[in-house]
Amino acid sequence: MSGSFPSFGSPFGFGLFGILFTIVPILIIGIIVVLILSGIVRWSKNNASPRQNRPAKIVGKRPHTWGGNHTGNIHAGAHTSYYATFEFEDGERLELPVGAQAYGMMAEGDYGILTHQGSRYIDFQRER
């Protein structure tokens, strides 16, 4: 039997490697498809929602940073998202993602008119 090679199974259906070689790419593609579809659904719902102007108070702000390498005070390649929580006159609260510039102009306790469309932040006009 010289010259023959050991059989490790086919990558499509036999052995642990074959199972992983088949399932892992399917899972990755499935996760990507779900994320894309959920983004499309959220975008569609926001577009179908009416644009609302509501009196609101800013009751919270928070940044969310992810990714990058942390070396001392340097966050190479890090990304930050910003969120503000608004409270309406009826006590209902809504947390919305906001841009960095809007986030920097907001302070907890500010009162004004929030303009939003579904879960999409549009503007906040602070009353002086």
Side-chain angles (χ1 to χ4, degrees), residues 42 46-47 49-54 56-58 60-61 82-88 94-107 110 112-126:
R42 181 177 40 240
N46 283 338
N47 284 346
S49 297
R51 184 178 277 214
Q52 297 183 17
N53 296 310
R54 300 171 68 185
K57 179 180 178 181
I58 298 173
K61 304 172 38 170
Y82 300 96
Y83 299 89
T85 302
F86 300 91
E87 184 175 74
F88 303 107
L94 177 64
E95 182 180 65
L96 298 172
V98 298
Q101 185 175 3
Y103 181 85
M105 299 298 290
M106 294 176 178
D110 282 352
I113 302 297
L114 170 66
T115 304
H116 69 99
Q117 188 175 16
S119 63
R120 182 183 299 144
Y121 169 85
I122 297 172
D123 190 33
F124 181 75
Q125 291 294 317
R126 190 172 44 244

Side-chain angles (χ1 to χ4, degrees), residues 19-39:
I19 293 170
L20 292 177
F21 188 78
T22 303
I23 292 177
V24 170
I26 290 172
L27 286 175
I28 291 170
I29 291 169
I31 290 169
I32 291 170
V33 168
V34 166
L35 289 173
I36 290 170
L37 289 176
S38 67

